[in-house]
């Protein structure tokens, strides 16, 4: 009788830990890619508005 609630609790904790681990990995990847992307953009000079248009 006590076995199924215990199995349910353990399964819930395992799945919660899995979701947290996947979220941490995804967040770390996002922050790393964002840092790499903004490092190059910081050194580039902005283009004036309308400079790309042909008159």
């Amino acid at each position: 009788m006590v076995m199924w609630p215990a199995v349910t609790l353990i399964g819930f904790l395992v799945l919660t830990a899995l979701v947290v681990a996947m979220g941490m990995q995804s967040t770390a990847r996002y922050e790393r890619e964002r840092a790499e992307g903004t490092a190059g953009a910081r050194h580039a000079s902005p283009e004036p508005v309308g400079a790309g248009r042909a008159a």
Side-chain angles (χ1 to χ4, degrees):
M1 284 200 176
V2 180
M3 185 175 129
W4 287 114
V7 170
T8 303
L9 177 64
I10 291 171
F12 175 76
L13 293 175
V14 167
L15 289 176
T16 301
L18 179 66
V19 168
V20 168
M22 290 171 59
M24 289 175 62
Q25 180 183 6
S26 176
T27 302
R29 185 182 331 124
Y30 167 76
E31 289 180 356
R32 185 173 53 248
E33 289 174 357
R34 186 168 181 229
E36 290 172 358
T38 58
R42 233 181 285 159
H43 300 294
S45 60
E47 184 177 327
V49 176
R53 292 185 179 171

